[in-house]
Amino acid sequence: MAVKLSTWFLSQGMMSGLNCSSNHSNVRFFSPSYHLLPASCRMRHRNLSSQHKKQQLKKASHEQPPTNADFQPNGDEELESENASIISVPILSQELISNDDVDTSRALEHTSAKQLKKASHEQPPTNEDFQPKGDEESESENASIINVPILSQELISNDDVKKASREQPPTNEDFQPKGDEESESENASIINVPILSQELISNDDVDTSIALEHTSAKELSSQTITNEERSLAINLGGAEQLSSVQSEDLVGMIRYAEKNILLLNQARVRALEDVEKILTEKETLQGEINALEMKLAETDARIQVAAQEKIRVELLEDQLVKLQNEFTQRGGTERIELDMYENHENLLSSEDSIIHNNSFHPLTKELSSLREENVFLKNDIQALKSELNYVKSTDERVLMLERQRSLLESSLKDLESKLSASQEDVSKLSSLKVEYKYLWEKVENLQELLDKATKPADQAITVLQQNQELRKKVDKLEESLEEVNVYKLSSEKFQQYNELMQQKIKLLEDRLQKSDEEIHSYVQLYQESVKEFQETLNNLKEESKKRTLDEPLDDMPSEFWSRLLLIIDGWLLEKKISTHDAKLLREMVWKKDEQIRDAYMASKEKNEREAVTTFLRLTSSPTRPGLYVIHIAAEMAPVAKVGGLGDVVAGLGKALQKRGHLVEIVLPKYDCMQYDCIRDLRVLDVVVESYFDGQLFKNKIWVGTVEGLPVYFIEPHHPNKFFWRGEIYGEHDDFKRFSFFSRAALELLLQAGKKPDIIHCHDWQTAFVAPLYWDLYAPKGLNSARICFTCHNFEYQGTAPAAELASCGLDVHQLNRPDRMQDNSVHDRVNPVKGGVVFSNIVTTVSPTYAQEVRTAEGGKGLHSTLNFHSKKFIGILNGIDIDAWNPATDTFLEVQYTANDLQGKAENKEAMRRHLGLSSADVRKPLLGCITRLVPQKGVHLIRHAIYRTLELGGQFVLLGSSPVPHIQREFEGIAHQFQNHDDIRLILKYDESLSHSIYAASDMLIIPSIFEPCGLTQLIAMRYGSVPIARKTGGLNDSVFDIDDDTIPLQFRNGFTFLNPDEQSVNNALERAVNLYKNNPKKWQQLVQNDMNIDFSWESSAAHYEELYAKSVARARATNQP
């Protein structure tokens, strides 16, 4: 009878990156049958050498060993078939999957005996040479077949989880012997080992295959324990992390944990049931070991018998040698005796050969076969012992799983308690938020209305609270009195107590009356103060009304006049007013006429037709107050900002508007704009058609105000969706996108009947405006303006094949010439920046030094000859900054606001920054060096890297904010950030953060700008505004704004920082050392330097005055010569 063992191996693994495939391959273990043959089989491998056998034994651990299906009997002898020992392992894995949409399937592959036999034919080598000899019969033994179904259960977080179906492994069919003889087959002993594996899987699309090899019990147990410890650590880590997630996620995760615990409990019950079976299996295996030991003893006895036979044969050989020696010594002369001797010798030799052949050789061969069988038996005993050790290790794993289940239960209880606590906290928090908002609104209203009545109201409230407390005490005393009256009416002590209580009550009533009188007095005072406050409030309202009537109109906000301009232009485009009327109304807005303001106020509640009628009554011929400037640009801060261009358009526009000029902006309508920064955004009921690629395309026009400036947004109805890309720049067809926009902008000005004095275009994206204006639109009547072109960085010129210029309607043949738009380096390409320089009346760049640098071959990027030819109209004007947005006295991003006269706030911001970034605060006087930049070669990234380490050597701290679009630079600084991630004095934040940039400007003692070239640069201007001393290289705008403190050629009042000339490490070291030494050794001089920097005026007022002068001169020349 076969012995059936059923064992559950419980293992829990945590794996990442696995996705269960629908089919799992069966894993099979084969043990060679000839290892288990008893001595009686006497199967001899005469044709196999010992080396060949060792190779076969090595293959057994990696390949399927041969089956004995091909053993052939000789003659009429019967051969008993031997079955190969087989381990069939159907696999069912248990997985905890966190991703969604995971389709789980389980398939148990049943391997029958026939399939195994078929597989054995495909695997070499076979045992065809095992032949029984003579009339001996070979006895077949049962091959041990181990079927190991591995249970797989999946815990999946998505909703479409299918429950796994469990199938029983197949039974083993009878193996059929070959030939006509009958062979005896016995039932195979079967060991069913279901293995539960629980896996935690987080990724998709990975096929899992399990391969079980013959490993030692120690390796299996150590691997199992490692997996269990890892699982336990991750489960506990997950339990700790659950405390920070939201309540809904906690509930879901607890449900999954409950399912997991339930499955573990089920597995534990099965394991306990199988422990008893394991014990019985141990006894069975021990019996088999005893039997094998008996066989081994029999083999040893047979070896001893064979050894005795060999000794006897050796003795006979010795006797034969002695006889031969005696015959030779005699040397008889008689022939008869010699013949008799030869006959006798032949007879003896024949007998010896018979004895030798019949006795010695069979014994030697049998002895070698017995030795081989003895080795096989020892190996089998050792394998059985290892299996016993492996079975013992399962007990330890069961105990470990039991401990793990208890830990999971405890962690589940902790999670439940934390969930309940978090739910309570959430409910309390929501209620507190509502109460907080309500109370805050009340507080604000009361603070505005009851400033004078605060003190008496507070006193009245305290008295009321005391009164309430007294009332509560009285109520308690009355309750106690009633209880005493019920239970102690007949007691004398109670009467005395009652009298005392009544006296106390009287005293309390007296106090209560006094408090009521005080409350009434306070209430009266409060009412009187409220009346006084109401009277003063009414007086203030009347005074404010009078002031609004008497106020000059210049104090009205710029948004008001911008809104009026947009309304007038909308009516003109919608054909509701004439061009002449629109021009007159615009001039009244420029003058900020009181009549048009009153008309707007009066028409607020009227419909549009009545409002138009009201405005038309005002048309007259007022005087012209200033210039009419229209900016056509690709950026404007803050709605569409990539670099400094957006800041210039917004800052210059507001400064010109404050100086009394009419300023309008025309922008593309990007899908990625900051729409929340646009006020009164609306679409006009008009469509502007513009030419492109041989046909007309419609454009929708939107209007709104940004930073008090009127802005027109053009939305092209083009199939390529030019400005709906999610990006402002960087598209493959940027040349077409912005040439289309430039022509559409001029078409808008033409159809709106605008007559601007200046059309100001910026960078190569709108440089097309200059040639388009003079070649196409000036002849059509849009001829009142002068063109101003500003290039903010000559590094970017937007060159393209000349043929693409024809898309916007320009004549390629006329413009692709050396004196016009032909690129100076590649003659079959056109250069928009060159076209802007050639066709504009005014050409500017962003600093005087940069204007000189670009006129050289090194700095001009191929345009130096063109700029030198047009040098009379080329000038550099230093940009300004928006002093309202960058103001440490009002900056809401700062921890503490401060001014030049109160630098304590700057020190507090420095301490707050150190806490925020985790920097050391042990030394308050340790200098903090900041760097805010894009990490590109232009900014001197190698010098920034050197400055980090040099600052550390000088005993300072360094903070870097910025990222790089260049992958290898970004990776390099990520490595530096990782190196200093836990350092006390270095911190790198490799991204851009607007609020953090404000904090770094305020916290830094110094700011380094080691640019290779810098057209203008705003960083150094903002740094000085916040009292951070700049350390800059003398190039471009840096050279025009930062002057070295040790330079005697610079007047003392203009010295504001530290500079260096050469872009090398030695120059950076010199500037850094001078700055740090001054900071450490002369605090008073450093403080004076900081205050001087903060008092420098870097606003747009000075820059706007320069542009105003250029505009006015160009317009005056045009009017003087009567040329458009």
Side-chain angles (χ1 to χ4, degrees):
M1 295 297 293
V3 180
K4 183 176 182 180
L5 302 181
S6 178
T7 306
W8 290 83
F9 291 166
L10 303 176
S11 65
Q12 180 176 2
M14 289 196 160
M15 303 174 63
S16 63
L18 297 180
N19 182 21
C20 289
S21 62
S22 59
N23 296 325
H24 295 278
S25 62
N26 288 341
V27 182
R28 301 169 183 174
F29 285 85
F30 293 90
S31 58
S33 60
Y34 53 82
H35 285 193
L36 300 178
L37 292 176
S40 59
C41 290
R42 298 184 179 180
M43 295 183 63
R44 304 173 183 86
H45 306 282
R46 300 178 184 274
N47 57 342
L48 296 177
S49 64
S50 60
Q51 182 178 1
H52 185 66
K53 292 177 182 179
K54 291 180 180 179
Q55 293 177 354
Q56 286 183 336
L57 290 174
K58 290 181 180 179
K59 289 182 179 179
S61 62
H62 300 286
E63 301 178 352
Q64 293 182 354
T67 60
N68 296 332
D70 297 328
F71 288 1
Q72 301 293 337
N74 292 330
D76 297 330
E77 295 176 356
E78 297 181 354
L79 173 67
E80 295 180 1
S81 63
E82 295 180 5
N83 297 329
S85 62
I86 301 167
I87 302 176
S88 178
V89 186
I91 299 172
L92 185 63
S93 63
Q94 176 177 353
E95 301 174 356
L96 179 58
I97 304 175
S98 62
N99 59 325
D100 300 333
D101 303 331
V102 179
D103 292 331
T104 307
S105 63
R106 297 164 177 79
L108 298 176
E109 296 183 5
H110 300 283
T111 307
S112 63
K114 294 180 179 179
Q115 291 173 336
L116 292 173
K117 187 179 295 184
K118 181 179 180 179
S120 66
H121 286 294
E122 297 176 357
Q123 301 293 335
T126 59
N127 296 334
E128 295 177 353
D129 296 331
F130 290 359
Q131 302 292 340
K133 188 173 181 181
D135 297 330
E136 296 177 357
E137 298 179 356
S138 63
E139 299 177 359
S140 66
E141 287 195 355
N142 301 328
S144 62
I145 302 171
I146 304 175
N147 295 325
V148 187
I150 300 177
L151 178 61
S152 128
Q153 298 181 352
E154 300 181 356
L155 298 177
I156 306 173
S157 60
N158 60 338
D159 297 329
D160 300 330
V161 180
K162 298 180 181 180
K163 296 183 178 179
S165 61
R166 183 179 303 168
E167 300 180 9
Q168 297 297 330
T171 60
N172 296 323
E173 298 179 0
D174 296 332
F175 292 103
Q176 299 295 332
K178 297 178 69 175
D180 298 330
E181 291 83 13
E182 297 180 357
S183 64
E184 298 179 0
S185 63
E186 295 183 0
N187 296 327
S189 61
I190 302 171
I191 301 175
N192 293 326
V193 187
I195 299 176
L196 174 63
S197 70
Q198 179 178 357
E199 301 174 355
L200 180 60
I201 301 176
S202 62
N203 297 330
D204 302 329
D205 302 329
V206 179
D207 293 331
T208 306
S209 62
I210 302 174
L212 298 177
E213 299 181 353
H214 291 283
T215 58
S216 64
K218 292 183 179 179
E219 291 176 344
L220 290 172
S221 62
S222 63
Q223 184 178 1
T224 305
I225 292 171
T226 303
N227 291 334
E228 291 172 352
E229 290 176 352
R230 190 185 310 154
S231 172
L232 181 58
I234 294 177
N235 287 334
L236 292 178
E240 292 176 359
Q241 293 176 356
L242 287 175
S243 60
S244 63
V245 299
Q246 297 180 357
S247 58
E248 295 179 0
D249 296 333
L250 287 172
V251 172
M253 296 177 73
I254 289 172
R255 289 177 180 172
Y256 301 144
E258 289 176 351
K259 294 179 182 179
N260 194 4
I261 291 171
L262 180 60
L263 292 172
L264 287 174
N265 289 334
Q266 293 175 357
R268 176 175 169 270
V269 171
R270 295 191 188 97
L272 292 174
E273 290 176 356
D274 290 339
V275 167
E276 296 179 358
K277 296 180 181 180
I278 292 171
L279 295 176
T280 57
E281 291 168 3
K282 287 182 180 179
E283 294 177 358
T284 304
L285 290 174
Q286 188 62 42
E288 292 181 358
I289 290 170
N290 294 334
L292 290 172
E293 289 177 350
M294 292 174 65
K295 291 179 179 180
L296 182 61
E298 291 177 359
T299 303
D300 292 338
R302 294 178 65 182
I303 290 171
Q304 292 177 359
V305 172
Q308 292 175 0
E309 291 291 335
K310 184 177 181 181
I311 293 169
R312 186 173 64 84
V313 170
E314 291 176 352
L315 292 174
L316 290 174
E317 289 179 347
D318 293 337
Q319 292 177 2
L320 181 60
V321 170
K322 289 178 180 181
L323 291 174
Q324 289 177 352
N325 293 332
E326 290 177 359
F327 279 112
T328 55
Q329 290 176 2
R330 287 180 183 179
T333 56
E334 294 180 358
R335 182 69 180 176
I336 297 171
E337 290 179 357
L338 181 60
D339 293 335
M340 290 176 63
Y341 170 75
E342 291 176 353
N343 292 332
H344 182 69
E345 186 178 3
N346 293 331
L347 180 61
L348 290 175
S349 63
S350 62
E351 289 177 357
D352 291 338
S353 62
I354 292 170
I355 292 170
H356 183 75
N357 293 330
N358 294 335
S359 175
F360 180 74
H361 289 289
L363 288 175
T364 303
K365 294 179 180 179
E366 186 174 1
L367 179 61
S368 62
S369 64
L370 288 175
R371 287 177 179 173
E372 292 176 355
E373 290 175 356
N374 188 15
V375 172
F376 294 152
L377 288 174
K378 287 181 180 179
N379 293 335
D380 292 337
I381 291 171
Q382 189 66 27
L384 289 174
K385 287 182 179 179
S386 63
E387 290 179 359
L388 279 176
N389 293 330
Y390 182 75
V391 170
K392 290 178 181 178
S393 65
T394 57
D395 296 338
E396 297 177 357
R397 288 197 291 273
V398 169
L399 293 176
M400 291 182 68
L401 285 175
E402 180 64 20
R403 296 193 195 102
Q404 184 178 357
R405 187 186 68 82
S406 61
L407 288 174
L408 286 173
E409 290 177 352
S410 62
S411 63
L412 178 61
K413 291 179 181 179
D414 293 338
L415 288 174
E416 290 176 350
S417 62
K418 290 180 181 178
L419 176 61
S420 60
S422 64
Q423 289 177 348
E424 294 176 358
D425 293 339
V426 169
S427 61
K428 289 180 181 178
L429 182 60
S430 60
S431 61
L432 287 174
K433 285 182 178 178
V434 174
E435 293 178 1
Y436 172 76
K437 290 180 180 178
Y438 179 73
L439 291 174
W440 182 253
E441 292 176 355
K442 281 189 172 182
V443 168
E444 288 181 345
N445 294 330
L446 289 173
Q447 286 179 350
E448 293 176 357
L449 298 176
L450 304 177
D451 291 334
K452 294 183 179 181
T454 302
K455 293 181 179 179
D458 293 338
Q459 294 176 356
I461 291 170
T462 55
V463 173
L464 284 173
Q465 292 177 351
Q466 294 176 358
N467 189 12
Q468 290 178 356
E469 292 177 357
L470 291 174
R471 288 180 183 275
K472 291 179 181 178
K473 290 180 180 179
V474 170
D475 293 337
K476 291 181 180 179
L477 289 173
E478 288 179 352
E479 292 175 0
S480 62
L481 182 62
E482 290 176 358
E483 293 177 356
V484 171
N485 288 331
V486 173
Y487 296 104
K488 298 181 178 180
L489 291 173
S490 60
S491 174
E492 295 178 356
K493 293 181 180 180
F494 172 71
Q495 291 178 357
Q496 295 175 357
Y497 177 75
N498 190 10
E499 291 175 358
L500 292 173
M501 293 299 294
Q502 289 178 355
Q503 292 175 2
K504 291 181 179 180
I505 290 171
K506 289 180 180 179
L507 292 173
L508 290 174
E509 287 177 351
D510 293 338
R511 292 179 181 176
L512 185 61
Q513 290 178 356
K514 292 180 181 179
S515 64
D516 289 339
E517 291 175 358
E518 292 178 355
I519 290 170
H520 287 305
S521 64
Y522 285 128
V523 169
Q524 289 177 357
L525 292 172
Y526 173 73
Q527 290 176 351
E528 291 175 358
S529 62
V530 169
K531 289 180 180 179
E532 293 178 359
F533 175 75
Q534 191 66 34
E535 291 176 357
T536 55
L537 182 63
N538 293 332
N539 293 331
L540 289 173
K541 287 181 178 179
E542 291 176 359
E543 291 177 1
S544 64
K545 289 180 180 179
K546 292 178 180 179
R547 287 178 182 176
T548 53
L549 295 175
D550 298 336
E551 276 179 347
L553 297 180
D554 290 342
D555 292 340
M556 295 297 290
S558 57
E559 288 86 353
F560 174 80
W561 303 109
S562 298
R563 191 180 304 112
L564 276 179
L565 284 172
L566 293 175
I567 291 172
I568 294 169
D569 289 337
W571 288 343
L572 175 61
L573 291 171
E574 294 169 355
K575 308 299 183 182
K576 294 177 180 177
I577 60 176
S578 65
T579 303
H580 177 71
D581 292 334
K583 178 179 179 182
L584 295 176
L585 291 174
R586 284 197 202 102
E587 290 177 349
M588 292 182 71
V589 173
W590 300 343
K591 190 179 178 181
K592 298 184 179 178
D593 197 320
E594 180 182 1
Q595 294 179 356
I596 196 167
R597 194 280 308 270
D598 294 337
Y600 175 77
M601 294 296 185
S603 61
K604 274 189 173 181
E605 299 180 355
K606 297 179 181 180
N607 58 35
E608 191 174 25
R609 181 178 297 177
E610 294 174 349
V612 171
T613 303
T614 303
F615 274 77
L616 290 177
R617 292 172 186 166
L618 302 176
T619 55
S620 61
S621 299
T623 59
R624 186 182 184 91
L627 297 171
Y628 183 12
V629 181
I630 296 179
H631 289 271
I632 302 176
E635 297 182 39
M636 180 186 180
V639 291
K641 176 184 175 182
V642 175
L645 170 60
D647 294 316
V648 171
V649 172
L652 178 59
K654 289 193 292 184
L656 291 172
Q657 188 184 61
K658 288 180 182 179
R659 299 179 70 85
H661 304 289
L662 175 61
V663 181
E664 295 176 349
I665 316 293
V666 182
L667 293 175
K669 188 175 184 294
Y670 301 103
D671 59 341
C672 55
M673 290 194 307
Q674 301 295 325
Y675 285 93
D676 54 345
C677 298
I678 307 173
R679 299 186 61 183
D680 303 322
L681 180 64
R682 64 188 181 92
V683 62
L684 297 181
D685 187 16
V686 64
V687 175
V688 175
E689 292 185 340
S690 62
Y691 173 90
F692 199 75
D693 281 337
Q695 55 182 317
L696 294 176
F697 291 95
K698 295 181 179 180
N699 299 275
K700 188 181 291 185
I701 309 300
W702 298 72
V703 295
T705 58
V706 178
E707 300 286 326
L709 293 169
V711 183
Y712 295 84
F713 300 97
I714 297 178
E715 180 184 357
H717 287 188
H718 193 279
N720 291 337
K721 298 186 180 299
F722 283 145
F723 302 110
W724 289 83
R725 307 283 184 85
E727 297 287 343
I728 293 179
Y729 303 134
E731 298 296 316
H732 68 281
D733 56 349
D734 277 354
F735 190 91
K736 285 192 172 184
R737 293 171 68 216
F738 290 104
S739 60
F740 180 97
F741 165 70
S742 298
R743 175 148 189 173
L746 291 174
E747 193 68 36
L748 169 65
L749 303 186
L750 177 65
Q751 296 188 25
K754 294 181 179 293
K755 296 293 182 180
D757 297 311
I758 297 292
I759 296 177
H760 197 151
C761 48
H762 300 265
D763 278 346
W764 75 264
Q765 287 85 2
T766 55
F768 304 98
V769 168
L772 283 169
Y773 178 82
W774 295 114
D775 285 3
L776 299 179
Y777 284 91
K780 293 181 180 180
L782 183 62
N783 54 6
S784 62
R786 308 295 284 176
I787 306 297
C788 178
F789 172 66
T790 299
C791 184
H792 299 259
N793 193 337
F794 282 89
E795 184 79 12
Y796 308 102
Q797 299 179 11
T799 62
E804 293 192 13
L805 195 62
S807 297
C808 62
L810 291 172
D811 189 344
V812 178
H813 180 71
Q814 293 294 327
L815 294 177
N816 189 25
R817 290 163 46 181
D819 59 337
R820 297 192 178 180
M821 292 186 68
Q822 186 182 74
D823 188 68
N824 293 339
S825 301
V826 184
H827 300 319
D828 61 347
R829 297 177 71 86
V830 290
N831 190 324
V833 174
K834 182 179 178 181
V837 172
V838 171
F839 286 92
S840 296
N841 305 107
I842 306 169
V843 180
T844 68
T845 190
V846 290
S847 69
T849 300
Y850 187 60
Q852 296 299 320
E853 291 175 350
V854 297
R855 292 175 64 181
T856 65
E858 181 181 357
K861 306 299 179 182
L863 288 179
H864 58 284
S865 59
T866 303
L867 293 172
N868 286 320
F869 183 81
H870 296 278
S871 60
K872 292 183 179 180
K873 62 180 180 182
F874 181 49
I875 189 173
I877 300 175
L878 186 68
N879 287 338
I881 60 173
D882 189 343
I883 59 174
D884 295 327
W886 298 102
N887 187 359
T890 59
D891 196 335
T892 57
F893 289 115
L894 303 186
E895 186 80 11
V896 179
Q897 286 76 33
Y898 62 97
T899 62
N901 298 324
D902 181 17
L903 293 177
Q904 181 61 32
K906 184 171 178 63
E908 295 179 9
N909 282 292
K910 181 177 179 180
E911 181 62 26
M913 173 61 62
R914 284 172 166 172
R915 289 196 306 270
H916 176 68
L917 297 179
L919 298 175
S920 173
S921 300
D923 186 1
V924 179
R925 285 290 301 165
K926 181 177 288 189
L928 177 61
L929 184 68
C931 183
I932 303 173
T933 182
R934 290 183 303 116
L935 297 173
V936 293
Q938 171 196 342
K939 302 297 182 180
V941 289
H942 66 291
L943 300 178
I944 295 173
R945 179 178 61 250
H946 174 73
I948 295 173
Y949 294 96
R950 186 57 183 159
T951 302
L952 189 61
E953 294 173 358
L954 293 173
Q957 295 178 320
F958 195 99
V959 176
L960 170 67
L961 176 66
S963 61
S964 177
V966 184
H968 73 88
I969 297 177
Q970 181 73 12
R971 287 194 298 271
E972 179 183 3
F973 278 85
E974 286 175 354
I976 299 174
H978 180 72
Q979 177 185 355
F980 293 108
Q981 61 181 351
N982 296 320
H983 201 276
D984 291 338
D985 297 321
I986 306 294
R987 198 69 72 238
L988 276 67
I989 302 96
L990 300 180
K991 62 178 182 178
Y992 182 74
D993 189 324
E994 181 69 21
S995 62
L996 187 58
S997 68
H998 285 247
S999 300
I1000 293 175
Y1001 282 123
S1004 299
D1005 299 302
M1006 314 157 201
L1007 200 101
I1008 187 167
I1009 314 105
S1011 300
I1012 305 302
F1013 71 93
E1014 190 66 66
C1016 175
L1018 301 179
T1019 304
Q1020 76 278 11
L1021 307 180
I1022 299 170
M1024 287 186 279
R1025 176 76 169 159
Y1026 281 73
S1028 182
V1029 178
I1031 302 173
R1033 181 173 174 266
K1034 298 179 68 174
T1035 180
L1038 298 174
N1039 188 52
D1040 296 323
S1041 56
V1042 182
F1043 306 101
D1044 198 285
I1045 194 172
D1046 297 324
D1047 190 352
D1048 296 334
T1049 62
I1050 303 296
L1052 187 62
Q1053 65 270 22
F1054 297 121
R1055 302 178 193 176
N1056 54 12
F1058 299 87
T1059 62
F1060 58 95
L1061 181 60
N1062 298 322
D1064 54 38
E1065 296 178 356
Q1066 185 60 37
S1067 300
V1068 173
N1069 289 346
N1070 180 265
L1072 277 175
E1073 290 167 4
R1074 290 190 293 119
V1076 172
N1077 289 335
L1078 180 64
Y1079 176 85
K1080 290 183 176 181
N1081 301 328
N1082 198 339
K1084 291 184 179 180
K1085 187 175 180 180
W1086 183 269
Q1087 183 176 351
Q1088 185 63 42
L1089 175 62
V1090 171
Q1091 290 176 339
N1092 290 342
D1093 286 354
M1094 294 182 69
N1095 290 326
I1096 299 174
D1097 182 15
F1098 287 111
S1099 68
W1100 272 102
E1101 290 300 320
S1102 176
S1103 302
H1106 283 291
Y1107 277 104
E1108 182 182 30
E1109 182 180 359
L1110 289 175
Y1111 293 162
K1113 289 181 179 179
S1114 181
V1115 172
R1117 284 195 297 268
R1119 291 175 181 172
T1121 56
N1122 293 323
Q1123 293 181 356

